[in-house]
Amino acid sequence: MKKLFIKSYGCQMNVYDSGKMADLLAPLGFAEALDYSDSDMVVLNTCHIREKAAEKIYSELGRIRQEKERMKKSGREMIIAVAGCVAQAEGHEIFARAPFVDIVVGPQSYHRLPDLVKKAANGKRVNGLIDLEFPEISKFDSLPEPKGGNVSEFLSIQEGCDQFCTFCVVPYTRGAEYSRSVPEIHREGLKLVENGAMEITLLGQNVNAYHGAGPDGEVWNLAKLIKHLAKIPGLKRIRYTTSHPLDMDDELIAAHGAEEKLMPFLHLPVQSGSDKILKAMNRKHDADYYRKVIEKLRRTRPDIAFSSDFIVGFPGESDADFLATLNLVKEVGYAQCYSFKYSPRPGTPAADMDSQIPDEIKSERLQVLQELIAEQQRKFNESCLAQEMEILFDRKGKYAGQIMGKSAYMQSVHVNSAEDYAGRLALVKITMARGSSLAGKMIETGEENRYNHIRKIV
Ligand code: 5AD
Ligand code: SF4
């Protein structure tokens, strides 16, 4: 077997894609390894969302190059591929900055990776392989069946984005919105569950804009797709990410009240609480619209919790605009959030806007916002104390006799248990909240069949 190392950066879509790349390369005799030392092939599946992310790739490439040269001295070749959004955005620039890279492949064409590897191995186009088109035929048609095997799995249902937020590279790197068909998704879902998945997270850059071909010839939306997938026996939890507030339609909101398997936790990025900034970001809605969506969801599903993304220091953001963001965070009360300093991305409209904000101000604002977010996360976790929560156990804990799982709200929960509960859904009484994780005690129900859906995965 040849050794393959794949490193994923950025979003969950990249994690999903990396899994598919490993499946694609397996028939060529590649088996995945945990590090790049002695690897016959290294793939960096990159993220271009912020500047730092791209810079990290080049420093990682520098380290990998040393290993490639070391191997060369002993007569062995290492093929280096840069995949993902940096590959798409930078293209030939990667060969210029890192001439020891053999393959550059974009997110819409990585299904051709086996061909590219064969070419690179034959030395036909050393340092010259580039494949960055958005092919007519969907890559999904050429991807192998999922292997799965994890309790919680990702399933990519939608890709690309037509929103064109002025800060974002995604419409350029991932292309226009594309939705996979319902039967195709359903087949993949069935396979994942057959292989042990109990939780599936539906992925898309703008997942709630999903509009795929249904088995009845109609176009189905996300609500309809979720209800359909929920009928898969053995599937216990459904999530979807990432959503745009504009596409949070009433049918999808209603699904949160009606569909038990849909988890009461929603990542709904708003980016800013200021109407002026939201407009400049081309988010196409104001802060009040977002508040209303949150309100409707809470009315439909009172135990729902939210997370969001925020950007501080977007061009033109004044103290008052930043204050509006803090106020929105306080009003909504999040279970967790991600926050970033605005990073100008070449080719996006915001990069050329006047009144860019100095880095010191961005840093100051980020710190204030992150303190507020951390405080909210702490409060949310503390509100779970003494509650009985259903936990999906998926792995062993750090210490002997400890098992780990996830709550409906994505909190990590650890429990002392002599039994291996991996692949089980069980009720836990929360006894401790620390940082971002919880601890609890398994509840003995005494009712033998209460969790008759519990399966043990070996
Ligand atoms: N600068 C900073 N953060 C960004 N994001 C997207 N583009 C940028 C950028 N240019 C953030 C947004 C998005 C998340 C995935 O990354 O908050 O929701
Ligand atoms: Fe990064 Fe966005 Fe590309 Fe995901 S889609 S890899 S977050 S740039």
Side-chain angles (χ1 to χ4, degrees), residues 216-231:
D216 52 3
E218 302 283 315
V219 173
W220 284 29
N221 60 16
L222 183 59
K224 214 165 165 190
L225 174 71
I226 288 172
K227 280 183 220 151
H228 187 53
L229 295 176
K231 292 189 200 124

Side-chain angles (χ1 to χ4, degrees), residues 48-56 343-345:
H48 199 242
I49 202 96
R50 282 170 292 276
E51 208 167 359
K52 265 202 200 136
E55 283 313 309
K56 265 194 241 161
S343 161
R345 310 310 292 131

Side-chain angles (χ1 to χ4, degrees), residues 100-143:
F100 50 90
V101 167
D102 302 285
I103 297 169
V104 173
V105 64
Q108 300 309 338
S109 43
Y110 68 77
H111 56 291
R112 299 187 201 153
L113 207 47
D115 274 348
L116 297 177
V117 170
K118 279 178 206 154
K119 278 190 202 158
N122 289 340
K124 265 194 193 150
R125 289 187 65 199
V126 187
N127 290 353
L129 295 168
I130 187 152
D131 193 351
L132 297 176
E133 304 150 42
F134 291 118
E136 287 273 295
I137 302 167
S138 155
K139 71 169 178 232
F140 289 107
D141 296 340
S142 333
L143 291 180

Side-chain angles (χ1 to χ4, degrees), residues 7 29 90 104 108 118 211 215 266 323 335 337 364 387 424 446:
K7 184 164 177 176
E90 306 232 320
V104 173
Q108 300 309 338
K118 279 178 206 154
H211 55 280
L266 184 64
L323 205 62
C337 284
E364 270 170 35
Q387 283 196 24
R424 290 186 181 197

Side-chain angles (χ1 to χ4, degrees), residues 11-28:
C11 64
Q12 289 142 329
M13 179 82 73
N14 268 9
V15 176
Y16 176 88
D17 288 344
S18 294
K20 292 285 181 193
M21 287 184 213
D23 294 347
L24 279 163
L25 292 172
L28 271 63

Side-chain angles (χ1 to χ4, degrees), residues 9-11 14 46-49 85 169-170 173-174 205:
Y9 297 80
C11 64
N14 268 9
T46 61
C47 172
H48 199 242
I49 202 96
C85 294
V169 288
V170 168
T173 57
R174 290 270 175 178
Q205 263 92 33

Side-chain angles (χ1 to χ4, degrees), residues 232-246:
I232 298 179
L235 179 59
K236 303 298 174 197
R237 292 176 162 189
I238 300 175
R239 306 178 185 277
Y240 60 93
T241 196
T242 295
S243 300
H244 193 294
L246 270 190

Side-chain angles (χ1 to χ4, degrees), residues 49-50 167-168 269 271 309-311 340-345:
I49 202 96
R50 282 170 292 276
F167 53 80
C168 188
Q271 315 294 354
D309 292 340
F310 290 94
I311 295 177
F340 315 99
K341 288 197 262 186
Y342 169 67
S343 161
R345 310 310 292 131

